[in-house]
Amino acid sequence: MDFRDIVSKRRSIRKFTDEELTPDQTQAILRAALMSPTSKSTRAWRFIVIDDKDLLRQVAQSKNAGADFVNDAPLAVIVLMDTSLTDVWVEDAAIAAVTMQYQATELGLGSCWAQLRLRGQDDGTSAEECLRDIFQFPEYLKPLCVIAFGHPAIERKQQDESKLKWETVSINKFE
Ligand SMILES: Cc1cc2nc3c(=O)[nH]c(=O)nc-3n(C[C@H](O)[C@H](O)[C@H](O)COP(=O)(O)O)c2cc1C
């Protein structure tokens, strides 16, 4: 699959089969993250890889909506950043996260992003606080998102070329 195919085929997958990822697949996904670009090459990420069912359930419940699929995934990776080392942690974490998603697509796997930053429970407890309770990471580490990975249990159409918003692109001027 060349990169043009990978970007067309990457769609958010929220339903997975029970099949586990192989250690090689998991490693390839993390390898991609660890090669992703960071501002000033700080590489201040931390990744928590989760394949324990009970932990996957707890992570899925760390916010009030939009992360249920994490519970059904065989693997998830929480992307955290050491905010004491970089002032652009959101950007660096997002790039690592999406790089993992493209690698997963290339491997024939599905993935979906669940937002954690600025999300939480109905009672006001943030997803970050929930996760800090579970994993005991220090205050200076901030989670951006958790990405669920697995073998797709549904097929999704690839990106629709006819719906690309080419009108958002202008050349040598703003319009
Ligand atoms: C910053 C960001 C936050 C997202 N948060 C969630 C989320 O919390 N739950 C979810 O189901 N999908 C989430 N998504 C996935 C988007 O819903 C999805 O990428 C979008 O609908 C486009 O669909 P596609 O990925 O299939 O192209 C998020 C994606 C991004 C980039």
Side-chain angles (χ1 to χ4, degrees):
M1 218 190 300
D2 68 21
F3 195 72
R4 283 174 71 91
D5 293 328
I6 295 168
V7 294
S8 301
K9 291 211 165 103
R10 186 219 52 81
R11 297 299 314 276
S12 293
I13 299 292
R14 300 181 179 85
K15 292 226 176 302
F16 304 102
T17 70
D18 290 337
E19 189 178 347
E20 305 284 326
L21 274 69
T22 65
D24 280 356
Q25 288 173 326
T26 303
Q27 197 201 11
I29 288 168
L30 272 303
R31 172 183 175 274
L34 295 170
M35 284 190 182
S36 64
T38 52
S39 169
K40 300 180 187 167
S41 204
T42 41
R43 303 197 291 178
W45 338 264
R46 298 297 294 266
F47 301 99
I48 304 179
V49 181
I50 308 157
D51 63 4
D52 176 273
K53 296 283 171 230
D54 189 48
L55 287 174
L56 287 164
R57 181 187 53 77
Q58 291 182 58
V59 172
Q61 291 172 356
S62 66
K63 64 175 190 162
N64 55 4
D68 292 347
F69 57 88
V70 174
N71 191 29
D72 302 324
L75 190 98
V77 179
I78 303 177
V79 182
L80 304 114
M81 204 50 98
D82 183 337
T83 59
S84 72
L85 298 177
T86 175
D87 57 348
V88 289
W89 72 270
V90 174
E91 292 84 341
D92 286 356
I95 292 165
V98 81
T99 301
M100 289 193 286
Q101 293 195 270
Y102 285 121
Q103 177 60 80
T105 304
E106 194 268 338
L107 293 167
L109 299 168
S111 69
C112 190
W113 177 311
Q115 181 71 13
L116 298 172
R117 190 177 76 92
L118 306 178
R119 300 288 183 270
Q121 313 277 358
D122 288 332
D123 69 3
T125 312
S126 68
E128 178 183 333
E129 289 169 278
C130 277
L131 295 171
R132 188 169 286 114
D133 267 0
I134 301 167
F135 296 104
Q136 299 289 305
F137 52 81
E139 193 71 32
Y140 58 82
L141 289 183
K142 303 283 179 210
L144 176 69
C145 61
V146 55
I147 310 289
F149 298 96
H151 292 265
I154 50 153
E155 213 173 307
R156 290 205 59 192
K157 288 199 181 114
Q158 61 179 51
Q159 302 282 342
D160 184 345
E161 295 278 346
S162 72
K163 291 200 176 136
L164 298 186
K165 297 186 79 177
W166 285 106
E167 69 278 14
T168 62
V169 180
S170 55
I171 299 172
N172 290 333
K173 63 180 176 214
F174 173 75
E175 58 181 8

